[in-house]
Amino acid sequence: MEDLSFDIRKGEIFVILGGSGCGKSTVLKHMIGLLPPISGRVLINEQDMVTATGKSRIRLLRQIGVAFQNSALFGSMTVLENITLPLKEYTLLPEDAVNTIARAKLGLVDLAGKGHLIPGELSGGMKKRAAIARAIALDPAIVFLDEPSAGLDPLTSAEIDLLIMDLARTLGITFVIVTHELESIFTIADTVIMLEKDTKGIIARGNPKDLKADPANAYAYQFFNRKPKRDKKP
Amino acid sequence: MTQPAALTIDQTDSALVFAFSGHLDAGGIAGVWETACRRIKKTEGPALAIDLSGITYFDTAGAAFIAHLDRMAQGRNWEKTDITGLDPDSFSLLERIREKHSEPVQDTAPSGGALRTFVENKGRFLDDFLYDARTFIAFLGEIFWAFVSSLLHPGRIRWGETLRVAERAGANALPIVALISFIVGLVMAFQSAIPMKMFGAEIYVANLIGLAMVRELGPLMTAIVLAGRSASAFAAEIGTMKINEEIDALTVMGLEPVRFLILPRVIASTLMTPLLTIFAILVGILGGAVVVLSLGHPFVAYYNQVVGFVSWEDFVGGIIKCFVFGILIAATGCIRGYQTSQGPSAVGDAATRAVVSSIILIAVFDGIFSILYYALGV
């Protein structure tokens, strides 16, 4: 990616989309501090994630939560332990307080009573929910989701969409989501940016419904209307 | 930056009043959680009133805390908790947490008395053991059936895979088997030579080494080395295949996993264990010879003592054990691999269980053979 610049407003559901291999996940890795960009800045509340080190980096990381594509739950721990882990690491809360808060998070993602299970016992949708519960364990300002609907059936995918909208509304969390699931995008996204491999940057930005209706941007129009390039009609 | 929450407690005739101020988030509530909970436990009621007008920040952790205090009060049959001072958004968050929150249910193991837990644990252990034994016997039966049906159709055995496994489990194990056997023979000869020398009987060290290596130590040491080396490898291989759904793929392709994966390993292990044992016996006897030669006896005397004392029955008795050990090692490794569950430690656990189970079974069957040979006069 080159010359990539965008702002995300507080409280919005912001989607990064694009075709396979266009660099969506790489951009996400830059944003969450896993992969430093060759040049440039990633500002979270005016603080640069790229240059932050030590305690300031920890403070920044506490402001974000991430749910990875394959959920990345720790398989040797129960679901509850997965969620209590950041609480234990970052707070001085007593054990019962940590467990109570973690159960509240499980309740928020409709996994109440499932805390004793290990991730291997969960379905795909439940794993995604558990990963989101872990991501919101410390009440972050921003939650990054990498392909939250990948590998899920349409119904479970729709449930995850509802959950994201619900959490955004109830908790005021800003969601940054990497996906190319059009159904989800039309349902949940306030703003999308579309990345493209050839231009190595943003090819379109705005509300997905507007982009779908606007033939001026040919690539975005084709993408949102599922029209392959060989289709000559706009 | 998180501002610690502060708690002011007031007890009136009508209620226990908690007034919070500061940040009610995960960082802020750490200092007031236990104080508030303890106070509710020590108070008789009749109601709880929570004043949140002084708070400057409220999130799900704070909501979980307030909901928890409310549940504690309700659990003691107090009157309805009066919560005041929250703005509408925060109040709806609190309501959301109350509505969605479930009590521990099964999040933690049910607690019981120490005796009950002890009995439960022992019962569970016995149940697991019996299940394990049943599964193992059933699995051996499956292997046996697959073996018999393959004997009728030898072309169905994957000989290429069998040779590959034989090379890895057998030929590649030669150095470690040689090292262990040589050292065992050497050390045993050395330790026994000292007291025997007192009676001028050090040449009989050859008898001791020959008989011990042929009947017991050769088969046993080889089997233990193979249990550590091959059983764990089989369990890891098959466990990884199970996690990757390769075994499911074989099944849906109509290929029996027992014939396809396990039979080559069992055949290879069953054939390699006796061969490795013969090698181990020879190297062990050679280790003993080094000590006897160092005591001034010629090699031919050592050789004659060994050959004259160790009978063919001893040798055959030792080798028969090896066939059984070979089957046990391969079957245990494969079954533990087959039983691999999910998770990052699953394959490691399967390999560990394979080694432990193999060694236990080898020891048990060695004991059974000893009794059997004694009864048969071998």
Side-chain angles (χ1 to χ4, degrees):
Chain A
M1 287 286 123
E2 291 172 4
D3 194 22
L4 196 69
S5 179
F6 55 90
D7 296 314
I8 301 170
R9 290 194 309 275
K10 188 180 176 188
E12 76 173 335
I13 298 178
F14 186 91
V15 170
I16 302 171
L17 84 156
S20 300
C22 72
K24 304 185 294 290
S25 294
T26 306
V27 172
L28 182 79
K29 283 180 182 169
H30 290 324
M31 294 168 81
I32 60 179
L34 278 182
L35 185 68
I38 294 166
S39 64
R41 298 184 301 167
V42 177
L43 296 177
I44 295 177
N45 290 335
E46 304 301 322
Q47 287 182 294
D48 191 357
M49 175 66 94
V50 178
T51 54
T53 53
K55 284 184 180 172
S56 62
R57 184 174 166 83
I58 297 291
R59 269 199 297 277
L60 264 178
L61 289 174
R62 280 195 58 174
Q63 293 181 46
I64 67 169
V66 184
F68 291 95
Q69 185 174 353
N70 63 357
S71 302
L73 296 166
F74 303 116
S76 56
M77 299 178 184
T78 64
V79 171
L80 190 76
E81 286 167 344
N82 265 279
I83 299 163
T84 56
L85 183 68
L87 289 163
K88 283 178 179 168
E89 288 297 314
Y90 285 125
T91 70
L92 299 170
L93 289 166
E95 184 82 16
D96 63 332
V98 165
N99 288 334
T100 301
I101 293 169
R103 282 189 205 105
K105 310 289 179 183
L106 279 177
L108 281 173
V109 297
D110 287 329
L111 283 181
K114 305 286 185 198
H116 64 292
L117 299 174
I118 59 163
E121 295 173 308
L122 301 181
S123 67
M126 288 161 87
K127 277 183 191 163
K128 299 277 185 188
R129 288 172 182 279
I132 293 172
R134 188 177 66 182
I136 62 169
L138 289 167
D139 285 289
I142 311 168
V143 169
F144 294 87
L145 305 178
D146 191 5
E147 304 277 9
S149 309
L152 300 180
D153 64 82
L155 198 60
T156 312
S157 176
E159 285 171 2
I160 296 289
D161 291 344
L162 286 177
L163 174 66
I164 292 167
M165 289 193 293
D166 187 31
L167 292 176
R169 182 174 45 80
T170 320
L171 308 181
I173 293 173
T174 305
F175 277 94
V176 179
I177 302 169
V178 168
T179 184
H180 47 209
E181 300 279 338
L182 288 179
E183 285 283 338
S184 289
I185 292 166
F186 288 126
T187 310
I188 62 175
D190 296 315
T191 307
V192 300
I193 56 166
M194 178 177 255
L195 306 182
E196 208 251 337
K197 208 177 340 186
D198 296 337
T199 51
K200 294 185 177 178
I202 299 171
I203 196 167
R205 75 178 81 198
N207 182 281
K209 285 166 189 156
D210 297 340
L211 291 173
K212 186 182 181 186
D214 180 13
N217 189 326
Y219 182 76
Y221 184 82
Q222 283 171 342
F223 195 99
F224 282 111
N225 289 284
R226 299 171 66 93
K227 287 182 183 289
K229 279 178 184 171
R230 64 175 178 274
D231 190 343
K232 300 289 182 195
K233 291 179 203 166
Chain B
M1 193 70 188
T2 292
Q3 209 178 70
L7 168 63
T8 310
I9 303 173
D10 192 16
Q11 176 74 62
T12 67
D13 290 341
S14 58
L16 171 67
V17 182
F18 287 163
F20 290 100
S21 59
H23 280 201
L24 235 55
D25 59 7
I29 60 178
V32 295
W33 183 285
E34 283 184 341
T35 312
C37 294
R38 211 178 306 125
R39 187 57 189 262
I40 291 176
K41 281 180 194 163
K42 282 184 181 170
T43 308
E44 293 301 322
L48 177 65
I50 302 174
D51 177 10
L52 298 169
S53 55
I55 62 167
T56 48
Y57 185 79
F58 188 74
D59 65 12
T60 51
F65 176 42
I66 300 300
H68 181 67
L69 296 179
D70 178 32
R71 275 196 306 277
M72 282 185 78
Q74 299 310 308
R76 295 166 70 84
N77 294 322
W78 291 8
E79 292 165 20
K80 190 171 184 293
T81 304
D82 181 25
I83 300 170
T84 56
L86 272 183
D87 62 73
D89 284 347
S90 301
F91 195 76
S92 73
L93 172 61
L94 176 61
E95 283 303 302
R96 178 76 200 278
I97 292 284
R98 279 166 145 177
E99 169 203 331
K100 292 279 186 178
H101 186 88
S102 81
E103 268 307 283
V105 198
Q106 295 175 50
D107 283 348
T108 49
S111 59
L115 181 64
R116 186 179 160 179
T117 310
F118 176 80
V119 172
E120 276 179 0
N121 285 343
K122 297 301 158 200
R124 200 170 289 127
F125 174 79
L126 185 65
D127 188 46
D128 288 348
F129 177 77
L130 291 175
Y131 175 78
D132 209 37
R134 203 168 53 234
T135 314
F136 191 79
I137 291 167
F139 196 72
L140 278 180
E142 268 192 75
I143 293 171
F144 180 73
W145 177 247
F147 183 67
V148 169
S149 65
S150 297
L151 282 183
L152 298 175
H153 309 280
R156 295 181 66 200
I157 297 176
R158 298 172 67 219
W159 290 111
E161 174 73 359
T162 307
L163 283 175
R164 189 183 66 82
V165 176
E167 186 192 346
R168 281 192 304 153
N172 293 354
L174 280 172
I176 181 76
V177 169
L179 180 72
I180 300 283
S181 304
F182 185 81
I183 290 173
V184 166
L186 189 97
V187 169
M188 203 168 56
F190 195 71
Q191 293 296 335
S192 57
I194 298 166
M196 283 188 170
K197 198 174 180 184
M198 293 163 65
F199 302 102
E202 66 259 34
I203 190 61
Y204 292 106
V205 167
N207 301 34
L208 174 78
I209 299 293
L211 194 66
M213 286 307 296
V214 169
R215 284 188 70 126
E216 281 300 328
L217 289 178
L220 202 61
M221 295 312 295
T222 307
I224 289 173
V225 169
L226 287 184
R229 207 176 165 277
S230 302
S232 58
F234 293 164
E237 276 174 354
I238 292 177
T240 308
M241 292 182 79
K242 188 173 178 207
I243 285 179
N244 291 340
E245 296 177 312
E246 292 172 43
I247 291 178
D248 292 343
L250 281 176
T251 308
V252 296
M253 282 190 273
L255 302 167
E256 302 157 52
V258 169
R259 183 183 66 78
F260 201 81
L261 292 174
I262 291 163
L263 205 55
R265 285 167 174 77
V266 172
I267 292 173
S269 174
T270 309
L271 295 178
M272 283 298 112
T273 310
L275 291 177
L276 279 171
T277 301
I278 293 170
F279 179 69
I281 290 168
L282 292 174
V283 174
I285 290 173
L286 198 65
V290 172
V291 174
V292 174
L293 290 178
S294 71
L295 294 174
H297 296 280
F299 182 77
V300 67
Y302 180 80
Y303 174 79
N304 286 335
Q305 280 296 123
V306 172
V307 172
F309 190 71
V310 178
S311 66
W312 275 106
E313 285 87 350
D314 296 325
F315 180 74
V316 172
I319 295 303
I320 285 174
K321 283 202 283 194
C322 297
F323 283 103
V324 176
F325 290 164
I327 293 171
L328 289 175
I329 290 163
T332 310
C334 292
I335 193 169
R336 293 303 183 216
Y338 228 76
Q339 290 171 334
T340 302
S341 53
Q342 292 289 324
S345 62
V347 174
D349 290 344
T352 306
R353 292 180 70 209
V355 175
V356 173
S357 306
S358 304
I359 290 175
I360 290 172
L361 283 171
I362 288 164
V364 168
F365 273 79
D366 194 48
I368 292 171
F369 271 111
S370 296
I371 295 167
L372 196 66
Y373 288 166
Y374 178 77
L376 294 173
V378 179

